[in-house]
Amino acid sequence: MSDPTRPVSSDPALDHSGMTEGERRALEMVEAAETGGRKLYGWQKSLVTALAIAWCLFQMYAAQVGTLDPLILRATHLAFAFALGYLVFPFRKTPGAAQVGVPWYDWILGTVAVGTAVYLITQYPTIANVQGGVLNSTDVWVGSAMVVLLLLAAWRTIGIAMPIVAGVFMLYALTGPRGLIRGDLGPQLQLHAGQTWPQVVGQLFANTEGIFGTAIGVSAQIVFLFVLFGSVFDKLGAGEWFMNVAQGLLGGFRGGPAKASVLSSALNGIISGSAVSNVVTGGNITIGTMKRVGYSAEKAGAIEVASSSNGQLMPPVMGAAAFIMAQNLNIEYRSLILAAAIPAFLCYSALLVVTHIEALKLGLRGLPRHELPRVRQTLLSGWYYLIPLGYLIGTLTINPEATPERVALNTIFLMIGMMFVQEAWRASRDTRGVGRGLLDGGRMLIEAFEAGARSMIGIAVATAAAGIIVGIVTITGLGFGLADIVQLVSEGFRAFLTGAAGLLPGVDAAAVASFGAMLIVLLMAQLIALILGMGLPTTANYILMSALIVPIIAKIAGLDVTNPAQMLPVHMFVFYFGIMADSTPPVALAAFAAAAISGGNPVATGIQAFQYELRTALLAYMMFFNPALLLIANGRLGGVPWAEAVPMILFAFIGLVAFSAATLRFLHRRTNLLQTLLLLVASFILIIPTHVVWNLAALALIALVYFWQKAGSRSGPPAVPSAA
């Protein structure tokens, strides 16, 4: 048996040669956070590779046959995540310290964790059919072990926040007059008599309402294949091609490297939903070029963070949360990506404006044209990358009978064939020969499978752990209690606004009070999403918010929870703020990764990125108050004709431009306080659907500020702040 502490083969995923110190630290950060930071060699590394390939093949087989029992599929999915999670994610993450080899206790923990899943797979027919779903003592012990080991796996893969939140919810379930913990939490929160531990384990372990609920079901059935699609597509070379295309198209314009960063992140967002890995993948090139043309280290890092974080908004691969959202709303995924297309376009268009405003403020130029990739040559060198992407998008959006998982699987098969053809063709044009090219294609495929499987560990564990919270909410009715509390606050605020508005002549006090009460609830939801997002990944954040907060907003807004067209804006609202949490200090891993590359201050980078992300916050409110942006009209999805959609998109974009100029305090030149307020008023008017006269008035305000500044610029040069 070979020594696992001695390197016997290179690992491209962990190859740091040729990198700067900052790039190396950023890559290590991604590995530690998303794919596991433990260094493995020899037979241990081979074992991880074999498990990763086996997981990929199992998921592809499950999608191909489509007949596996849901709980068996989900338990097997979690078993693979347990095995790989305990092997590649160390319990302690010490920055800069290499963690080599798997310690003995992780072998034990991983084996027991996998054993609990295998037990459920083998015993589930007996539990369901013979025992009537009632657990015996052995089932309770095994289920208890799974819950504990799942929380330990979540701690090491996604951080301590999820285990703490899940633990608090379980304590709540156990507390009550007849619970394991005797006590009374008061009439607002004590909505159940209390559960015994076997009752809690029964809810979480052996049915599809707890750990093996909807969230991990979507992870096992759909998300894995789309993550694998992104991994294979990137290994094929598409990510680098997107970057070169973006650099060639936009790199020569004012502040061009920042605009190229936005465009390349939007293109990469089509296939990847990971903010941190997008920062490292694109930031290795774009951050350095941004600094070179004059952006400060913090601004360069913040632009990369903002553009990479928003990659989760880009259809068709919007991250795991979007697939879960479609399942929660009981709509086709194609309907969701069509609805999300306009907000995603607006989000990235507004970010391009932000980078342009920053370039104007700093007086920046672009890169020399001779240093940029030639657009025509670059497009011709990789045009065939559009074939699988076109098939995926086209089939998802046009064919109503195609399921997302089957489309993703077919696209993976297509790309595997392209990978071997590409490498064989390249090898035939040099001295390697076709045979060596085919071998290189096989090596690339193995690397893609391993990268895809390792990226799925955190998602699988997060969705399973979130199932604990959802299961507790279901068994205790906690959501109703929280709704009553929030409604009490909302009604108090409504009464205050009614009285205050009644003092003003000609004001509809009821309308003002209703809008204000709804706004305070949305602000509370926004704050909760941002706080949760500091410690939870986007997927887990969305699952919690959809289980706890979305029903509260729906109740107070008087929405029909069975109508997807009414509920989609609420789900998108919490989804957008969950994404914003990736760049919200003090815990903003994407900002720390960008700062490691740029050499800037990570907290300052996060604060600057949050300022850029304010347009995303505004867009979330725009979608809530104007569902037509999601193509919702007359109570149904896709009900907005393009004749109405085009001017609506134009007004929304102008509103985002005005808001960005106000938050950055710059339009044609630096804005004074009154000009900033006028821009904010104009942007807020354009948020809410009103009569066209109000929209024209908002445009007039923006024009007033612009020409006011133009007139002022004739009397003296605009004050341009320093790049620092």
Side-chain angles (χ1 to χ4, degrees), residues 208 270 390 471 602:
T208 55
I270 294 173

Side-chain angles (χ1 to χ4, degrees), residues 665-682:
R665 300 291 303 274
F666 196 95
L667 186 58
H668 177 67
R669 56 188 292 158
R670 186 170 181 82
T671 59
N672 59 35
L673 180 59
L674 179 57
Q675 292 168 346
T676 301
L677 290 175
L678 289 175
L679 289 173
L680 284 175
V681 169

